[in-house]
Every structure is written in structure tokens, then in C-alpha cells.
Amino acid sequence: MNVMLDHAALFAALDDASPDRVLDELVERLRAADEPDLLFDALLLQAKRDLGAPGVRPSTFDGVPEEQAESFEKAYLEAAREVARRHADAGRLDRAFDYARTIGEPPLLRPYLEDVDPQDYVGPDSDEERFELLTSIALEEGVHPELGARLMLAGRGTCNTVTAVDALWPRFKPEERAAVAAVLADHLHAELLANVAAEIAAHPSGGEVPENPTSLRPLLAGRPWLMADMAYHTDVSHLQAVIRNGRELPPDHPAFDKVVELAEYGAKLDPTLQYPGRAPFTEFYPAHLRYLAALAGRGREEAFRYFEGRMNAADDHDRPAAAIELVHLLKRCGETDRAVALARQELRDREDAIFSFADLCRELDRLDALADAAKEADDPVRYAAALSVKGEGERRTAEGDGA
């Protein structure tokens, strides 16, 4: 590992360097040592000199000609990336993150998180400060949400993890949601398997318990007493959160059937424990079982009718949320024209972080629907945008065909 510079020797070397070489000498020596913070400033001073704007204040744009501002900004970004990586290479992820966040590039640190083992942060002897840093970067800052969820489960348990994930869920990208949903489904399914198996083993008429069971279905079959007297084997709020997030999983994902089994288990709970969800999942477990079955290719038309009914039964406050879920289901089941038609009817003016009619039309290559809706709404700006994007797409397609 590189060591800190002898600053007395550094000052002497700088004194011996020619004025036009002093900054180069400084950068070379700092690069060879473990002083990335000083290197950052040195790189910026070097960049200013190379741009013909030498100065004594490294990180400001003072003295940088307007026509060179873009070049200096590029140098700033490159310097911050280099210094972030140097800090990370030395294990100082906190300092690395400061630089990465400053330039809006926290994903720079993802490669440094890949080898983190969550089990290293289990127990009273674990490094609490390091744990907090890693979970903050991975989960809260969104650099590696899947790892963040694993870390939280290992170090904080199910309750804190579910709470944290629910709060951060809207920030995650679709692929990150699926990865986090799988982590939670795997964890809760295993926890529930162990709890149910333990109760069967302890019951006088429980019968034989398979070694290392992988499915809840054979454990629950023929044992109604498991669910009698308002019994439950995991926190019901955790169960609902994991199932709700599990809707993000594609049906071919290994964790998908675990989410289905969790919903099947929930449907066997005493009715007083089957808390309603938000429309269209007011009948929480039956609704999710229909939704998941439709994703897997079973009972799709029945599910579409069911969720349309839930949407029509919702009040004005909940109807948009119910419509959004049905649009998503139709889209994921390949019914793209029906999804666009429903969105145009119910959500054509919706443009926010939760749902965008414009984004849906663009994603599904239905800019004609966006243009028609814009004309109906007397919105010439959106109409022009739809025509422009559609024309650009057609131009690129024509160029590709002609290549």
C-alpha cells in the first residue's frame, strides 16, 4: 500500500522543479503516494494551467475563460473520478462516496461493493461503523440496493429491512426492484418454512417433516390446525410487504413461485388477519393470487375482468391507482393495445414519478395514441412532441434499413 508523502522532501522537490514543471511534479508525486485529496486539487490546478488560466484556487471557476468552462468541468469530473477510485482502492469508501456524490456518480462505487459479504456484519463483534457506511451507500444512496437489502437482513433483521425498503422503493429502477423483491421473498419464505416445519415437528399429530423442505404447500396440506385459532407463523405486515414488492418479479424468476406460496399462505390466515390493501388489492391475498397467476399465463381474462371491476368499484381517490395496476398487468401480459387504451381513458393526463402516459406510449411504440390524446386535450405542445419523436424514430429506422 502506498504511504503518505514526506512533505519536507516534497517541498524540496517542488523548489527544484522549474515553474512550468512544478505542477506536473506535484501530480506525479501525489499519484505515487496515498494523498488523493491533495491530488484532486493538484489535478485541477494542472488543468487550469493547461487551459491557459493558471490560478491559486483549484476547484473554482475563477479565472477560467467562458470558452474554456466546459473543458475545465470535464477535467473536474475526471479528477473526481480518479480520486474517488483511489480512496475506494484504499478502503475509504466514505471519502470515495463524497467525491462520487459530488459529481452525481455514486454508481462508480458499485464494483467495490460486489465482494462484500453480509454475514461479516452479523453479531456483536461486527464493525458497526462499517456496516452503517455500507448500508447507506448500497441501499439509501441506491448504489447497490440488492446488497443493501442483504446487509440489512443480516445486520438488522426483517422488520427494519422491510421498513427501509418500503421507504426507498419509489427510487429504485425496475431491475433493482426485482432484485430486492427476490432477496426479501427468499428470506421470508425460508423463515416461514422453518417456522411452519418447527410447529409441525412439535405437534403431537404433526406427522413427518421432510428434511430441508423447499415448499410450503406439502407442509400446509392436510394440516388445517396450523392455521386454526388465528395462528400465524410470520409477521403479517412483513408478509404483505414482501408479496406486494414481489409483484415486480417476472414469472420465470426463481423467487416468483415463492411469492405465490407466500400469497397462498396468507389466503389461509384467519380473515381477521387478512388486512386489506390499497385498491385494486383490497382483497389482498386473493387479488395477488389472481395477479400473479395472470403473469404466469393462467386465468388472464378472468384477472383482467376482476381488476377492471376493482377499478370501477374504487372511489375517485383510489381509481387512478387501480387503473395504473391494471395497465401494468395488461402490458406485462402482452396486451399492449389494451394497456394503452385503458391508460388513454383513465390516465392520459398523468405525468409523474408513479406513472407517465407519455412514457408508456413511447415505450410501447404507440406515439399515435399520445398524439391523438393530445389533440383531444387541445394540447399542441404534447401533440408536436409526439409527432417529433415519432418522426425521429422513423428516420432512424429508415437509416438502419438502408445501412
Side-chain angles (χ1 to χ4, degrees), residues 50-312:
D50 293 344
L51 293 172
V56 294
R57 298 179 64 193
S59 59
T60 72
F61 277 73
D62 291 352
V64 178
E66 185 177 348
E67 63 272 16
Q68 299 285 12
E70 185 176 343
S71 296
F72 181 67
E73 182 178 0
K74 182 179 178 181
Y76 187 104
L77 293 173
E78 290 174 349
R81 292 179 189 124
E82 177 177 344
V83 170
R85 292 190 179 102
R86 287 177 177 272
H87 272 305
D89 287 337
R92 295 185 295 268
L93 285 179
D94 53 342
R95 294 294 296 130
F97 183 71
D98 288 341
Y99 283 93
R101 178 171 53 186
T102 296
I103 60 173
E105 297 182 12
L108 273 174
L109 301 187
R110 186 179 176 104
Y112 298 93
L113 300 177
E114 295 292 354
D115 294 331
V116 172
D117 184 355
Q119 294 307 308
D120 290 343
Y121 300 92
V122 177
D125 297 328
S126 63
D127 187 337
E128 180 68 16
E129 185 175 346
R130 186 72 171 175
F131 171 83
E132 292 288 350
L133 172 64
L134 290 172
T135 53
S136 174
I137 293 173
L139 188 62
E140 295 170 26
E141 300 294 342
V143 173
H144 198 328
E146 178 185 358
L147 172 65
R150 293 187 187 280
L151 281 165
M152 283 289 292
L153 286 171
R156 292 290 183 269
T158 307
C159 185
N160 287 325
T161 306
V162 167
T163 301
V165 166
D166 271 358
L168 297 168
W169 193 256
R171 301 188 202 172
F172 298 154
K173 299 173 184 176
E175 62 274 16
E176 294 170 340
R177 290 183 177 184
V180 171
V183 169
L184 294 177
D186 286 341
H187 175 82
L188 193 68
H189 188 268
E191 184 179 88
L192 190 54
L193 269 177
N195 293 343
V196 171
E199 181 166 345
I200 293 172
H203 197 277
S205 59
E208 184 178 356
V209 180
E211 186 176 355
N212 299 320
T214 59
S215 173
L216 284 165
R217 293 179 182 121
L219 299 184
L220 298 174
R223 297 183 176 99
W225 47 268
L226 280 168
M227 312 301 289
D229 300 322
M230 298 180 65
Y232 56 93
H233 306 86
T234 190
D235 185 284
V236 177
S237 65
H238 300 166
L239 180 66
Q240 290 198 330
V242 172
I243 293 169
R244 182 173 63 248
N245 295 341
R247 296 200 304 262
E248 299 289 335
L249 290 169
D252 59 351
H253 194 287
F256 181 85
D257 198 50
K258 294 178 181 179
V259 177
V260 175
E261 285 202 358
L262 292 174
E264 291 172 349
Y265 172 86
K268 296 178 186 295
L269 290 168
D270 186 272
T272 58
L273 297 174
Q274 296 192 36
Y275 309 129
R278 186 181 179 187
F281 299 100
T282 46
E283 300 173 317
F284 189 85
Y285 299 108
H288 275 87
L289 286 171
R290 290 176 186 272
Y291 192 98
L292 296 168
L295 291 179
R298 301 186 302 273
R300 284 184 168 176
E301 288 301 326
E302 180 184 355
F304 298 156
R305 289 193 295 272
Y306 173 84
F307 285 107
E308 184 178 8
R310 294 290 88 196
M311 179 187 72
N312 290 331

